[in-house]
Short mmCIF file of all heavy atoms in Angstrom, two decimals:
data_model
loop_
_atom_site.label_atom_id
_atom_site.label_comp_id
_atom_site.label_asym_id
_atom_site.label_seq_id
_atom_site.Cartn_x
_atom_site.Cartn_y
_atom_site.Cartn_z
N LEU I 374 -6.52 -33.73 94.09
CA LEU I 374 -6.78 -32.92 92.88
C LEU I 374 -8.15 -33.21 92.29
O LEU I 374 -8.79 -32.34 91.70
CB LEU I 374 -5.69 -33.16 91.83
CG LEU I 374 -4.36 -32.46 92.13
CD1 LEU I 374 -3.31 -32.84 91.10
CD2 LEU I 374 -4.54 -30.95 92.17
N GLU I 375 -8.59 -34.45 92.44
CA GLU I 375 -9.90 -34.79 91.90
C GLU I 375 -11.02 -34.02 92.59
O GLU I 375 -11.98 -33.56 91.97
CB GLU I 375 -10.18 -36.28 92.02
CG GLU I 375 -10.08 -36.97 90.68
CD GLU I 375 -10.11 -38.48 90.81
OE1 GLU I 375 -11.03 -38.97 91.49
OE2 GLU I 375 -9.21 -39.11 90.24
N GLN I 376 -10.82 -33.88 93.90
CA GLN I 376 -11.82 -33.14 94.68
C GLN I 376 -11.85 -31.67 94.23
O GLN I 376 -12.92 -31.08 94.05
CB GLN I 376 -11.46 -33.25 96.16
CG GLN I 376 -12.55 -32.74 97.08
CD GLN I 376 -12.06 -32.61 98.52
OE1 GLN I 376 -10.91 -32.95 98.85
NE2 GLN I 376 -12.93 -32.14 99.38
N VAL I 377 -10.65 -31.13 94.03
CA VAL I 377 -10.57 -29.74 93.56
C VAL I 377 -11.28 -29.61 92.22
O VAL I 377 -12.09 -28.72 91.99
CB VAL I 377 -9.10 -29.28 93.43
CG1 VAL I 377 -9.03 -27.87 92.88
CG2 VAL I 377 -8.40 -29.38 94.76
N GLN I 378 -10.97 -30.56 91.36
CA GLN I 378 -11.57 -30.56 90.03
C GLN I 378 -13.10 -30.54 90.10
O GLN I 378 -13.76 -29.79 89.40
CB GLN I 378 -11.12 -31.84 89.30
CG GLN I 378 -11.58 -31.91 87.86
CD GLN I 378 -10.70 -31.05 86.96
OE1 GLN I 378 -9.50 -31.31 86.84
NE2 GLN I 378 -11.27 -30.01 86.39
N GLN I 379 -13.60 -31.36 91.02
CA GLN I 379 -15.05 -31.44 91.19
C GLN I 379 -15.64 -30.10 91.62
O GLN I 379 -16.63 -29.64 91.09
CB GLN I 379 -15.40 -32.49 92.23
CG GLN I 379 -16.00 -33.72 91.61
CD GLN I 379 -16.21 -34.81 92.65
OE1 GLN I 379 -16.15 -34.55 93.86
NE2 GLN I 379 -16.44 -36.01 92.19
N LEU I 380 -14.96 -29.51 92.60
CA LEU I 380 -15.46 -28.24 93.13
C LEU I 380 -15.34 -27.13 92.08
O LEU I 380 -16.19 -26.25 91.98
CB LEU I 380 -14.69 -27.84 94.40
CG LEU I 380 -15.00 -28.69 95.64
CD1 LEU I 380 -13.95 -28.49 96.71
CD2 LEU I 380 -16.38 -28.32 96.19
N ALA I 381 -14.28 -27.17 91.30
CA ALA I 381 -14.03 -26.08 90.35
C ALA I 381 -14.85 -26.24 89.07
O ALA I 381 -15.03 -25.28 88.33
CB ALA I 381 -12.54 -26.02 90.02
N GLY I 382 -15.31 -27.45 88.82
CA GLY I 382 -16.10 -27.66 87.61
C GLY I 382 -15.31 -27.29 86.37
O GLY I 382 -14.17 -27.75 86.19
N SER I 383 -15.86 -26.42 85.54
CA SER I 383 -15.20 -26.11 84.27
C SER I 383 -14.18 -24.98 84.39
O SER I 383 -13.60 -24.56 83.40
CB SER I 383 -16.27 -25.72 83.26
OG SER I 383 -16.94 -24.57 83.74
N LYS I 384 -14.01 -24.47 85.58
CA LYS I 384 -13.07 -23.34 85.71
C LYS I 384 -11.64 -23.78 85.42
O LYS I 384 -11.29 -24.94 85.57
CB LYS I 384 -13.13 -22.76 87.13
CG LYS I 384 -14.51 -22.30 87.54
CD LYS I 384 -14.95 -21.06 86.79
CE LYS I 384 -16.33 -20.66 87.27
NZ LYS I 384 -16.93 -19.56 86.57
N ARG I 385 -10.85 -22.81 85.06
CA ARG I 385 -9.47 -23.12 84.74
C ARG I 385 -8.64 -23.39 85.98
O ARG I 385 -8.87 -22.77 87.03
CB ARG I 385 -8.83 -21.96 83.99
CG ARG I 385 -9.27 -21.87 82.57
CD ARG I 385 -8.90 -20.55 81.98
NE ARG I 385 -9.83 -20.27 80.88
CZ ARG I 385 -9.60 -20.66 79.62
NH1 ARG I 385 -8.50 -21.30 79.31
NH2 ARG I 385 -10.50 -20.40 78.68
N MET I 386 -7.68 -24.30 85.89
CA MET I 386 -6.79 -24.62 87.00
C MET I 386 -5.36 -24.57 86.52
O MET I 386 -5.05 -25.07 85.44
CB MET I 386 -7.09 -26.03 87.51
CG MET I 386 -8.24 -26.07 88.50
SD MET I 386 -8.80 -27.76 88.82
CE MET I 386 -7.32 -28.61 89.16
N VAL I 387 -4.48 -23.98 87.32
CA VAL I 387 -3.06 -24.07 87.00
C VAL I 387 -2.30 -24.47 88.25
O VAL I 387 -2.73 -24.16 89.36
CB VAL I 387 -2.47 -22.74 86.48
CG1 VAL I 387 -2.95 -22.43 85.10
CG2 VAL I 387 -2.79 -21.60 87.42
N THR I 388 -1.22 -25.17 88.08
CA THR I 388 -0.38 -25.50 89.22
C THR I 388 0.91 -24.70 89.13
O THR I 388 1.45 -24.50 88.03
CB THR I 388 -0.04 -27.00 89.26
OG1 THR I 388 0.48 -27.36 87.98
CG2 THR I 388 -1.27 -27.83 89.55
N THR I 389 1.35 -24.21 90.26
CA THR I 389 2.55 -23.36 90.27
C THR I 389 3.45 -23.70 91.44
O THR I 389 3.01 -24.29 92.44
CB THR I 389 2.17 -21.88 90.45
OG1 THR I 389 1.49 -21.74 91.71
CG2 THR I 389 1.29 -21.38 89.34
N SER I 390 4.67 -23.34 91.24
CA SER I 390 5.57 -23.26 92.40
C SER I 390 6.17 -21.88 92.31
O SER I 390 7.11 -21.64 91.56
CB SER I 390 6.64 -24.33 92.32
OG SER I 390 7.65 -24.00 93.26
N LEU I 391 5.58 -20.97 93.03
CA LEU I 391 5.99 -19.58 92.87
C LEU I 391 7.42 -19.36 93.36
O LEU I 391 8.14 -18.53 92.80
CB LEU I 391 5.00 -18.66 93.58
CG LEU I 391 3.61 -18.69 92.95
CD1 LEU I 391 2.58 -18.04 93.85
CD2 LEU I 391 3.64 -18.00 91.58
N ILE I 392 7.78 -20.14 94.36
CA ILE I 392 9.15 -20.01 94.86
C ILE I 392 10.16 -20.41 93.78
O ILE I 392 11.17 -19.76 93.57
CB ILE I 392 9.33 -20.91 96.11
CG1 ILE I 392 8.51 -20.30 97.24
CG2 ILE I 392 10.81 -21.04 96.48
CD1 ILE I 392 8.71 -20.96 98.57
N GLU I 393 9.83 -21.47 93.06
CA GLU I 393 10.73 -21.94 92.00
C GLU I 393 10.46 -21.20 90.68
O GLU I 393 11.03 -21.58 89.65
CB GLU I 393 10.51 -23.44 91.77
CG GLU I 393 10.51 -24.28 93.03
CD GLU I 393 11.84 -24.99 93.26
OE1 GLU I 393 12.20 -25.82 92.41
OE2 GLU I 393 12.50 -24.67 94.27
N GLU I 394 9.54 -20.24 90.74
CA GLU I 394 9.15 -19.50 89.54
C GLU I 394 8.62 -20.41 88.45
O GLU I 394 8.92 -20.25 87.27
CB GLU I 394 10.33 -18.66 89.01
CG GLU I 394 10.75 -17.61 90.00
CD GLU I 394 11.80 -16.65 89.46
OE1 GLU I 394 12.06 -16.71 88.25
OE2 GLU I 394 12.32 -15.87 90.25
N GLU I 395 7.84 -21.38 88.83
CA GLU I 395 7.26 -22.27 87.84
C GLU I 395 5.75 -22.06 87.73
O GLU I 395 5.10 -21.82 88.74
CB GLU I 395 7.53 -23.73 88.22
CG GLU I 395 8.85 -24.22 87.70
CD GLU I 395 9.25 -25.56 88.33
OE1 GLU I 395 8.35 -26.28 88.81
OE2 GLU I 395 10.46 -25.84 88.33
N GLY I 396 5.25 -22.17 86.53
CA GLY I 396 3.80 -22.12 86.35
C GLY I 396 3.24 -20.72 86.12
O GLY I 396 2.05 -20.55 85.86
N ILE I 397 4.10 -19.71 86.22
CA ILE I 397 3.59 -18.34 86.07
C ILE I 397 3.12 -18.09 84.64
O ILE I 397 2.08 -17.47 84.40
CB ILE I 397 4.67 -17.33 86.48
CG1 ILE I 397 5.02 -17.56 87.94
CG2 ILE I 397 4.17 -15.89 86.31
CD1 ILE I 397 6.31 -16.94 88.38
N ASP I 398 3.88 -18.63 83.71
CA ASP I 398 3.50 -18.50 82.30
C ASP I 398 2.11 -19.08 82.04
O ASP I 398 1.28 -18.46 81.37
CB ASP I 398 4.49 -19.26 81.40
CG ASP I 398 5.62 -18.35 80.97
OD1 ASP I 398 5.55 -17.15 81.30
OD2 ASP I 398 6.55 -18.85 80.31
N GLN I 399 1.90 -20.26 82.59
CA GLN I 399 0.60 -20.91 82.39
C GLN I 399 -0.52 -20.07 82.99
O GLN I 399 -1.60 -19.95 82.42
CB GLN I 399 0.58 -22.31 83.02
CG GLN I 399 1.36 -23.37 82.24
CD GLN I 399 2.83 -23.41 82.63
OE1 GLN I 399 3.44 -22.37 82.94
NE2 GLN I 399 3.40 -24.60 82.60
N LEU I 400 -0.23 -19.49 84.16
CA LEU I 400 -1.25 -18.66 84.80
C LEU I 400 -1.57 -17.45 83.90
O LEU I 400 -2.72 -17.12 83.65
CB LEU I 400 -0.77 -18.19 86.17
CG LEU I 400 -1.71 -17.18 86.84
CD1 LEU I 400 -3.10 -17.80 87.06
CD2 LEU I 400 -1.15 -16.69 88.17
#
Side-chain angles (χ1 to χ4, degrees):
Chain I
L374 284 176
E375 253 170 51
Q376 190 191 358
V377 177
Q378 185 79 62
Q379 252 174 14
L380 289 164
S383 61
K384 302 291 180 185
R385 285 166 205 271
M386 276 168 50
V387 288
T388 52
T389 60
S390 166
L391 295 166
I392 290 187
E393 311 260 297
E394 296 187 10
E395 273 167 22
I397 299 163
D398 269 356
Q399 285 87 325
L400 173 61

